[in-house]
Amino acid sequence: MERLDIQQDLIGYLFQDAAIVLLILNQAGLIIDANNYTRRLTGDDLIGKTLADVVLDFTGTINLSGLLQKKDTLQLLNIRSRSGLPQTFYFRFLERGEHILAFGEINSLEIEALRKNLLSVNNELSNLSRELQKTNAELKKLNELKNQFLGMAAHDLRNPIGVILSYSDFLLEEAGDVLKEEHVQFLAIIRKSSEFMLSLLNDLLDVAKIESGRLDLDLESADLAALIRNNAMLNQSLADKKAIRIIFRDDAPLPNILMDRTKIEQVLNNLISNAVKFSPLGTAVEVKISIGAEHVTVSVSDEGQGIPEDERKKLFQPFSRTSVKSTGGEKSTGLGLAIVRKIVLGHGGKIGVDSEVGRGSTFYFTLPLKT
Amino acid sequence: MMNGLISDEIYNAYLQALLAGERAQCVELVNRLLERRIPLYDLYVNLFQRAMYQVGELWEFNRISVAVEHLATAITEGLLTLVYPLIFAAEHIGKKAVISCVASEYHQLGGKMAADFFELNGWDSYFLGANTPAEELLKLLQDKKPDLLGLSLSIYFNMDSLHRVLEQVRGSFPELPVLVGGQAFRWGGRDIAEKYPVVTYLPTLIDLESFIQKG
């Protein structure tokens, strides 16, 4: 085979098949020919374009004469590729008569190192994800066990505490006259403590049920205003001890709403009794209903101490305590608002609080207007 | 051919998506099978393993580049995470296995699938992953005190590295049963158990499943 033929074959290969960037430019810097690979890479036939149309020039300093001055060294240039991802090539520029040849090659060693590192990163990430999911599953199981234990303990303790409560009640009523005053006081303490323990156990049972996904809502169409009226009345006797007025104005007509009546009563009782618990003597607690397009909002406002902003976020977390003290020495289990929140969320509603220190707080919840 | 819920049509669609690097399409296919409650054993053996064996062959026969093979591996690793909530929910039986690749071995998918098989069968499996230095492995063995060690080898050239690790494990934990397996053994080294009495060679995930179930 003649030397010329071999050269022709090589040129044919470079233009047809070789995976290198090959451009021929004229002295004016216009591309007059490009091989197939470069056309495929850029998605353009490139004829008549300039180098600036092919190369990403981030700094605005790349120009043909500058590249030609450094023509004996490999120059790193980024090509605009069809995919949008820049591709880096190592270029060499050659001047031949009126033409400039530009060859761009990939550094396969660099690519190999990159691929190896990417592989390691991917391996590590997927292993961490496996580890995380395994730990999550274990924590979930542990949480279920905790809830089971909590439920069992609370359930089994409820009966004996109930007995203590009823017998102390009985003794106070029946034997109050024959007991010394000091002993009556002891009995009163026993009754008060067992009452608190019973409410704590009931709350714990609720938490255990809700946490293990057993918030069974028995939905029925109910009159929300009537529930509020009833609850306000029940709490008024407690409020009377502090000369607090519970005000509820239900002027606007309200359609019946789909809800679990007992659970919403629990929500109302918690919010109204909390308001009474934290209100100063002689103030008012106001309950309001407002109807929106899709929701009804119930709000309970007090004229209490208000809750500092940094403490409001944790209010609805179990066992959260704030710096706000009850005004009559009443105790809290720290679970009520967490339970209330779960019940409201279970109904597809929202719950929140607005508060201003020194002015009071407004707790509100919404329920979807489904009848 | 039909392997449980995986028809040839599903398998081929999956393989094509995998080779084309279409991660989202692979995710969709696997999610659809999970919705149909495919047994995880089928999913691992008849989809993930079968496809990756074929990807490996295509690479060995120079039909696809190593980049495509790596992408297919990375996608498959990602797909395993779809299954984890089911795998890790299995009741545990109180047995522990440590599964690892040896130093310089970057192919970890087979080992990870083996580790998942232990989880599926109620074992606790600790997976150390690719390119694990021997010291790190020995430290974890000391820490976790497993009932079994599994070592996965994909590249035959890493066989010496495996033997070195086995020597070190034998020095510190002479009684610890060791399972070895992986694609590297297609090219030789299957007589490894003759040199190390505590070692068992298991050629496939199916053999591993029978081994675990025999207890």
Side-chain angles (χ1 to χ4, degrees):
Chain A
M1 205 174 182
E2 290 297 320
R3 191 181 165 83
L4 202 59
D5 292 336
I6 295 172
Q7 284 176 344
Q8 284 301 321
D9 282 352
L10 268 174
I11 290 168
Y13 165 73
L14 288 175
F15 272 89
Q16 295 300 320
D17 305 312
I20 65 166
V21 170
L22 175 55
L23 296 168
I24 303 176
L25 301 102
N26 62 19
Q27 286 295 336
L30 296 176
I31 296 169
I32 56 170
D33 208 351
N35 67 345
N36 281 346
Y37 178 78
T38 314
R39 290 168 200 242
R40 281 204 308 276
L41 182 74
T42 55
D44 194 334
D45 82 344
L46 299 172
I47 308 301
K49 302 274 172 68
T50 65
L51 203 60
D53 295 317
V54 183
V55 171
L56 279 167
D57 183 4
F58 299 107
T59 55
T61 54
I62 295 173
N63 57 61
L64 190 58
S65 57
L67 293 168
L68 286 171
Q69 275 172 17
K70 293 186 276 181
K71 62 188 172 189
D72 295 329
T73 53
L74 282 176
Q75 297 176 67
L76 192 148
L77 296 176
N78 294 294
I79 298 288
R80 298 171 196 272
S81 79
R82 182 171 49 177
S83 70
L85 279 176
Q87 305 278 323
T88 303
F89 289 84
Y90 290 84
F91 271 84
R92 191 181 293 280
F93 290 86
L94 299 172
E95 265 185 294
R96 289 290 179 270
E98 293 177 352
H99 296 119
I100 297 153
L101 305 178
F103 295 99
E105 292 171 69
I106 280 174
N107 183 341
S108 62
L109 292 176
E110 191 180 74
I111 301 280
E112 189 205 357
L114 181 71
R115 208 172 49 221
K116 191 174 162 187
N117 287 333
L118 281 177
L119 196 67
S120 295
V121 170
N122 184 64
N123 282 346
E124 207 171 310
L125 280 177
S126 72
N127 294 348
L128 282 173
S129 161
R130 185 181 191 276
E131 216 34 51
L132 197 65
Q133 297 222 35
K134 186 170 158 62
T135 311
N136 270 349
E138 280 163 7
L139 288 175
K140 213 171 151 188
K141 279 179 197 165
L142 279 175
N143 196 37
E144 276 165 21
L145 274 178
K146 180 221 45 175
N147 286 331
Q148 271 176 23
F149 170 76
L150 201 65
M152 269 183 335
H155 187 265
D156 291 353
L157 285 172
R158 214 157 51 148
N159 284 344
I161 298 292
V163 171
I164 295 171
L165 183 63
S166 357
Y167 278 110
S168 53
D169 236 358
F170 172 78
L171 281 176
L172 275 172
E173 277 179 24
E174 300 292 321
D177 300 341
V178 292
L179 290 172
K180 286 184 188 168
E181 195 186 330
E182 194 185 18
H183 293 162
V184 172
Q185 276 174 10
F186 289 164
L187 268 175
I189 292 170
I190 291 174
R191 191 178 71 170
K192 205 172 172 191
S193 299
S194 47
E195 252 173 14
F196 177 70
M197 279 167 80
L198 196 60
S199 67
L200 181 61
L201 288 173
N202 284 335
D203 280 358
L204 282 173
L205 261 176
D206 278 346
V207 168
K209 270 189 203 162
I210 292 169
E211 291 250 320
S212 52
R214 287 186 286 131
L215 178 67
D216 299 323
L217 294 180
D218 188 8
L219 296 177
E220 58 181 318
S221 187
D223 181 351
L224 182 62
L227 283 186
I228 296 174
R229 225 175 290 124
N230 186 44
N231 217 281
M233 198 177 70
L234 289 173
N235 274 289
Q236 187 58 59
S237 57
L238 190 75
D240 284 344
K241 292 180 188 165
K242 293 176 163 183
I244 292 168
R245 283 171 304 130
I246 302 177
I247 306 161
F248 173 51
R249 291 193 189 92
D250 54 335
D251 320 324
L254 184 70
N256 275 9
I257 288 169
L258 203 60
M259 66 174 87
D260 183 315
R261 187 197 290 261
T262 319
K263 296 228 163 44
I264 293 300
E265 272 185 319
Q266 194 177 344
V267 173
L268 289 168
N269 186 47
N270 183 283
L271 296 185
I272 296 174
S273 66
N274 266 357
V276 172
K277 218 183 268 182
F278 294 98
S279 286
L281 299 180
T283 55
V285 167
E286 191 171 7
V287 187
K288 281 186 192 161
I289 297 182
S290 60
I291 307 170
E294 292 176 356
H295 290 88
V296 57
T297 304
V298 179
S299 61
V300 180
S301 306
D302 64 48
E303 297 167 11
Q305 309 145 71
I307 305 153
E309 196 180 348
D310 56 335
E311 295 182 8
R312 279 178 228 156
K313 282 181 199 156
K314 57 180 186 181
L315 264 179
F316 297 96
Q317 303 296 323
F319 301 110
S320 63
R321 302 277 177 189
T322 64
S323 58
V324 184
K325 299 276 176 279
S326 65
T327 49
E330 301 97 326
K331 281 184 171 180
S332 290
T333 62
L335 292 167
L337 283 175
I339 295 168
V340 159
R341 177 176 170 271
K342 294 274 186 182
I343 293 174
V344 171
L345 294 182
H347 277 81
K350 286 179 185 164
I351 190 161
V353 60
D354 294 325
S355 191
E356 201 179 325
V357 175
R359 297 287 297 273
S361 306
T362 298
F363 283 81
Y364 57 87
F365 68 95
T366 66
L367 290 174
L369 264 179
K370 285 181 277 185
T371 52
Chain B
M1 200 173 76
M2 179 93 174
N3 284 302
L5 283 176
I6 302 167
S7 63
D8 273 353
E9 197 188 347
I10 292 177
Y11 173 75
N12 287 329
Y14 172 79
L15 183 67
Q16 291 318 311
L18 193 63
L19 290 171
E22 299 285 353
R23 190 179 148 273
Q25 211 175 320
C26 294
V27 168
E28 198 189 322
L29 270 158
V30 170
N31 272 334
R32 242 185 281 156
L33 288 167
L34 288 172
E35 276 164 21
R36 293 169 66 194
R37 298 187 184 280
I38 184 173
L40 298 185
Y41 175 85
D42 274 352
L43 189 69
Y44 269 54
V45 173
N46 297 322
L47 193 72
F48 296 152
Q49 183 182 253
R50 186 178 165 203
M52 282 314 296
Y53 277 180
Q54 203 167 342
V55 168
E57 269 174 29
L58 288 169
W59 174 59
E60 283 170 7
F61 286 104
N62 302 313
R63 301 269 301 279
I64 58 169
S65 71
V66 70
V68 171
E69 190 244 6
H70 284 166
L71 185 57
T73 310
I75 289 174
T76 312
E77 289 230 17
L79 295 174
L80 296 185
T81 59
L82 300 175
V83 185
Y84 286 151
L86 300 172
I87 284 187
F88 295 129
E91 277 303 314
H92 281 182
I93 56 170
K95 287 191 167 186
K96 283 183 277 185
V98 166
I99 312 292
S100 181
C101 302
V102 296
S104 310
E105 176 62 70
Y106 284 89
H107 295 76
Q108 64 164 24
L109 184 55
K112 190 184 265 185
M113 285 165 77
D116 291 349
F117 261 48
F118 278 99
E119 287 284 342
L120 262 178
N121 284 280
W123 286 56
D124 250 322
S125 66
Y126 300 92
F127 181 63
L128 272 91
N131 190 25
T132 301
E135 303 72 44
E136 204 178 302
L137 174 65
L138 293 172
K139 198 166 158 273
L140 194 89
L141 293 178
Q142 185 62 46
D143 187 28
K144 297 291 178 195
K145 301 190 171 38
D147 299 281
L148 192 143
L149 166 67
L151 293 170
S152 168
L153 199 69
S154 292
I155 301 292
Y156 181 69
F157 303 109
N158 291 327
M159 193 61 82
D160 284 348
S161 182
L162 174 69
H163 281 260
R164 276 198 299 277
V165 170
L166 285 173
E167 290 291 351
Q168 282 174 280
V169 171
R170 180 155 70 179
S172 307
F173 309 93
E175 305 294 327
L176 179 66
V178 182
L179 298 183
V180 296
Q183 290 295 84
F185 291 93
R186 286 181 306 147
W187 308 104
R190 287 185 290 270
D191 54 354
I192 195 162
E194 288 170 21
K195 191 171 172 196
Y196 305 95
V198 293
V199 170
T200 307
Y201 162 62
L202 295 172
T204 65
L205 281 176
I206 302 169
D207 298 299
L208 175 66
E209 175 84 351
S210 330
F211 178 90
I212 300 172
Q213 289 191 349
K214 267 185 221 155

